[in-house]
Amino acid sequence: MTVNCLQPEKFGGREDLHQQLSKGFGLEQIHSEYGMTELFSQAYSKGNGFFSCPPWMQVFIRDTSDPFTKLRIGMMGNINVIDLANRESCAFIATQDLGRKHSLNKFEVLG
């Protein structure tokens, strides 16, 4: 099936992209996954832009200019992921993705 409604040059952000995908595929919501190849676990969004982590995965936000400064809930910064499912391998990833944490296990990806 070809979806002709996708026009990347017109995307104004995640909301616009999800709106075009919903329209093109005839869906009410677009669900998303956030995870890295190097990690076993993923966080999932049920269409509201907020991702939820499983209990063994934790996301925290760090300052974009100081990798040792952990930011409070509600502040924007780079996303760090700890995945305890990664036994005997890398269990921590410091990304360059921008995000904001909203509660203990909920966060959003901003860029």
Side-chain angles (χ1 to χ4, degrees):
M1 177 168 113
T2 303
V3 179
N4 295 322
C5 72
L6 298 179
Q7 301 171 358
E9 67 278 359
K10 295 185 178 183
F11 292 159
R14 180 186 65 238
E15 293 84 12
D16 289 342
L17 173 62
H18 284 198
Q19 183 179 27
Q20 286 198 32
L21 288 171
S22 294
K23 180 181 176 184
F25 288 110
L27 302 171
E28 291 182 27
Q29 292 183 324
I30 300 296
H31 297 238
S32 300
E33 173 187 356
Y34 183 80
M36 313 307 162
T37 301
E38 301 85 356
L39 300 176
F40 289 157
S41 302
Q42 296 82 32
Y44 293 96
S45 170
K46 294 183 179 180
N48 58 6
F50 295 100
F51 291 87
S52 296
C53 302
W56 56 88
M57 178 181 170
Q58 183 179 10
V59 167
F60 66 91
I61 307 299
R62 72 177 192 281
D63 188 285
T64 56
S65 59
D66 179 5
F68 299 108
T69 300
K70 184 177 171 182
L71 299 178
R72 296 185 316 267
I73 288 177
M75 297 181 74
M76 184 178 70
N78 292 118
I79 297 174
N80 285 2
V81 181
I82 299 171
D83 183 5
L84 297 180
N86 279 43
R87 187 173 169 208
E88 299 180 21
S89 67
C90 179
F92 176 83
I93 299 287
T95 76
Q96 292 298 313
D97 297 340
L98 285 176
R100 179 178 292 126
K101 193 160 182 178
H102 289 276
S103 67
L104 184 61
N105 71 339
K106 291 205 184 300
F107 68 98
E108 66 178 316
V109 179
L110 303 171

